[in-house]
């Protein structure tokens, strides 16, 4: 079972980011992390959020490597900023 291992990521930090966030995609990623921190499994989270299990695992690995910043989407190449 995957766990959040990044020292700076706490449930309160994720909850605060979730509540402040207006980007629907990023908010969904925070929601997945919150569910994991509440003890749910990747297969359950994937089913509830209508995503593939691998997608949830990718998000969790990104958080473990980079903290909450790992959930930010990269800019789309060629798109005006």
């Amino acid at each position: 079972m995957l766990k959040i291992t990044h020292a700076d990521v706490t449930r309160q930090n994720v909850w605060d980011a979730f509540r402040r966030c207006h980007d629907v995609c990023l908010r969904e990623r925070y929601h997945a992390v919150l569910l994991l921190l509440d003890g749910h499994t990747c297969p359950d989270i994937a089913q509830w959020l209508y995503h593939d299990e691998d997608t949830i695992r990718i998000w969790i690995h990104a958080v473990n490597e980079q903290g909450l910043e790992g959930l930010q989407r990269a800019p789309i190449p060629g798109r005006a900023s």
Side-chain angles (χ1 to χ4, degrees):
M1 182 168 149
L2 278 178
K3 294 186 182 225
I4 300 298
T5 58
H6 195 282
D8 294 335
V9 177
T10 65
R11 191 181 192 293
Q12 188 61 48
N13 291 348
V14 180
W15 177 245
D16 291 342
F18 176 81
R19 293 194 42 159
R20 286 190 313 266
C21 184
H22 297 289
D23 179 325
V24 174
C25 292
L26 183 56
R27 190 175 169 98
E28 184 174 45
R29 293 170 187 201
Y30 290 145
H31 191 186
V33 174
L34 284 169
L35 289 168
L36 188 78
L37 288 168
D38 286 344
H40 299 288
T41 65
C42 285
D44 288 342
I45 296 167
Q47 183 178 12
W48 295 331
L49 298 181
Y50 299 101
H51 280 286
D52 188 77
E53 287 179 41
D54 289 336
T55 300
I56 304 301
R57 287 187 181 96
I58 288 168
W59 294 347
I60 301 307
H61 286 299
V63 169
N64 285 336
E65 291 172 10
Q66 303 171 16
L68 291 181
E69 293 78 28
L71 295 178
Q72 299 287 332
R73 293 187 294 172
I76 299 170
R79 193 169 193 185
S81 51

